[in-house]
Amino acid sequence: MATPSTATTTTSTTTTTTATPSTVATPAVTTSTTSTASDRAFKYAVEERILCFHGPLIYEAKCLKRLAIDTRNRYYVHYNGWNKSWDEWVDETMIMAINEDNLRRQQELKSSVAAASQASKKRKAEASAAAAAAAAAGAGAQPVGKDTAQPSGNESSAARRAAKGAAKNGTKTGDSCLTNDNDSNGSADKKKKKRKAMDRFHTIDDSFTAKLEIRIKMPDQLKPCLVDDWDLITRQKMLFDLPAKVSVDKILDDYSQQRVATNGSADEPVVRELIAGIKNLFNAMIGSHLLYKFERIQYQELLVHHKDTDSGVQMSAIYGSIHLLRLFTRSNNFLAYISVIGEPSVNSMSKNIHDLLQYLSLNTRLFTSDDYSVASPEYCRKCL
């Protein structure tokens, strides 16, 4: 792949939107990539090579577009060496300049992840070997020799199953190792290559995860809401009506008032910090982590519209309940931005999030298919 130029381009590209989804009014807009005095608030230029967080890891990327909206600078980035389907809008706080310190930080994190991955594989192999030995011992399996009898059919079958389990995880039982035929190996190799391609974005340092991960248990009442949302967006080609009838800000503020009324004013500082953190986190992640592919054009047109009107409206005041619920299905990703929340203790944060989810589960009226409309044919053509 050709190395992108680090020089700032001085050309101007005019893009006129001729069709908009029924839920968002989007006027024609001109986007300039020329560096001017009004661009001084941006830290990074269009076409500049940068380092960018994706989850807990850092990758080299290139800035393709940029927008200043809602008091935040956002950049549309392309990760070097990866298909453009990975391109995404990110907040400026996720980007770093390419310099010696940041490159060293990138390599240190990469090495830490590799070491953690090897340690994890070793632990799994040891656990599998121990399980195989225990299974063989429980089945009464013995080594076959001149002075020993062959194990019975049941014993032999149990031993073979134990050996197969060990071999599957890369270990050996005795002096033998089970292998698959050529076709099986070919299929397994393809799956391994696919997993390897995804590992770059999804492998997480065990020690990093242990410090930040909050295991979120979604209430059973809310699971059908997420399934219905997926079906409406991806299969039925519908869009959530924006602005939402009940916004994320409204939901969180109502929850805050109810909780303070129930638990007393002593709980108010904790609730205030929680709500502020979730709102900031939602606004930082909505464009890059919480939308289906079919919704991204709607989001981009929404950004352009609010930039053009200079309204300064936060996304949490526009999007609604289902997008807030999606936030809590991305636990590993959003905890990479734990600094946005202020790094509270894991136990306290887990308790507060589950309390909020219980509140949502008691208010499932917030999740209804009436909030969706069928996307126009023009919008669907844009998504092709």
Side-chain angles (χ1 to χ4, degrees):
M1 180 177 292
T3 302
S5 172
T6 58
T8 302
T9 180
T10 59
T11 61
S12 177
T13 303
T14 301
T15 304
T16 302
T17 302
T18 58
T20 60
S22 58
T23 55
V24 182
T26 309
V29 63
T30 300
T31 303
S32 175
T33 59
T34 305
S35 295
T36 65
S38 61
D39 295 331
R40 293 174 183 172
F42 289 100
K43 290 184 179 179
Y44 309 100
V46 174
E47 297 293 331
E48 181 176 353
R49 293 173 61 245
I50 53 174
L51 294 175
C52 184
F53 273 101
H54 186 101
L57 299 179
I58 303 171
Y59 306 99
E60 187 172 338
K62 180 175 69 172
C63 172
L64 302 179
K65 308 174 189 176
R66 60 189 187 182
L67 284 176
I69 183 171
D70 305 338
T71 70
R72 292 176 179 270
N73 291 337
R74 291 184 171 88
Y75 298 81
Y76 194 68
V77 301
H78 170 73
Y79 296 100
N80 292 359
W82 289 88
N83 189 283
K84 66 179 181 180
S85 62
W86 290 99
D87 294 358
E88 61 180 350
W89 285 98
V90 299
D91 195 80
E92 191 171 77
T93 57
M94 299 168 61
I95 299 176
M96 299 180 294
I98 295 181
N99 55 45
E100 292 185 3
D101 290 340
N102 290 334
L103 288 172
R104 181 166 56 252
R105 181 181 179 187
Q106 179 191 34
Q107 291 302 318
E108 289 174 353
L109 185 55
K110 182 178 179 181
S111 299
S112 178
V113 168
S117 178
Q118 290 297 325
S120 178
K121 289 180 181 179
K122 183 177 180 181
R123 288 194 298 271
K124 289 180 181 179
E126 291 173 349
S128 297
Q142 299 179 11
V144 179
K146 292 182 180 180
D147 299 328
T148 60
Q150 292 282 354
S152 65
N154 290 338
E155 293 171 343
S156 178
S157 177
R160 285 196 300 272
R161 287 196 300 271
K164 186 176 180 180
K168 185 177 180 181
N169 290 280
T171 59
K172 293 184 178 181
T173 302
D175 294 327
S176 65
C177 180
L178 298 179
T179 59
N180 297 323
D181 57 30
N182 292 335
D183 292 339
S184 298
N185 282 335
S187 177
D189 288 342
K190 290 180 180 179
K191 291 180 179 179
K192 288 179 180 178
K193 288 179 180 179
K194 185 175 181 179
R195 286 197 299 269
K196 186 176 181 181
M198 299 296 292
D199 281 346
R200 180 179 179 186
F201 280 94
H202 296 290
T203 302
I204 300 176
D205 182 355
D206 287 351
S207 61
F208 181 88
T209 304
K211 293 177 182 178
L212 300 182
E213 187 172 9
I214 294 177
R215 293 291 184 181
I216 294 177
K217 183 179 180 181
M218 188 66 62
D220 292 338
Q221 299 91 326
L222 297 177
K223 292 177 182 178
C225 301
L226 290 165
V227 175
D228 291 343
D229 173 57
W230 173 87
D231 181 75
L232 290 166
I233 298 292
T234 61
R235 191 179 68 82
Q236 300 186 40
K237 302 303 180 184
M238 301 181 74
L239 290 170
F240 192 89
D241 293 334
L242 300 176
K245 297 174 184 176
V246 183
S247 69
V248 171
D249 283 350
K250 174 65 174 171
I251 294 170
L252 294 176
D253 290 342
D254 288 348
Y255 164 74
S256 175
Q257 293 176 10
Q258 176 175 311
R259 179 165 165 178
V260 171
T262 302
N263 299 341
S265 57
D267 200 30
E268 186 172 359
V270 176
V271 179
R272 191 187 304 115
E273 181 181 0
L274 172 70
I275 298 306
I278 292 177
K279 286 181 180 180
N280 288 336
L281 193 59
F282 181 88
N283 290 320
M285 293 186 62
I286 180 65
S288 57
H289 290 79
L290 305 183
L291 299 177
Y292 290 109
K293 184 177 181 180
F294 189 68
E295 298 175 288
R296 290 175 185 170
I297 291 179
Q298 182 191 37
Y299 172 75
Q300 292 172 12
E301 292 179 336
L302 188 65
L303 285 179
V304 172
H305 170 67
H306 284 281
K307 177 180 182 294
D308 191 64
T309 58
D310 195 26
S311 59
V313 177
Q314 296 282 358
M315 292 296 116
S316 56
I318 299 175
Y319 283 87
S321 55
I322 194 63
H323 298 92
L324 176 62
L325 193 59
R326 291 181 199 175
L327 179 69
F328 300 112
T329 66
R330 310 286 295 187
S331 58
N332 286 340
N333 282 341
F334 79 70
L335 285 175
Y337 306 94
I338 195 71
S339 60
V340 178
I341 301 179
E343 298 188 14
S345 68
V346 170
N347 290 336
S348 175
M349 178 58 68
S350 178
K351 180 181 178 180
N352 287 323
I353 289 176
H354 282 98
D355 188 70
L356 173 57
L357 288 173
Q358 287 301 319
Y359 170 82
L360 293 176
S361 70
L362 296 175
N363 292 273
T364 52
R365 58 180 175 75
L366 294 169
F367 307 94
T368 170
S369 60
D370 293 339
D371 291 331
Y372 298 79
S373 297
V374 177
S376 68
E378 293 173 332
Y379 182 90
C380 292
R381 283 194 292 271
K382 290 181 183 180
C383 297
L384 295 177

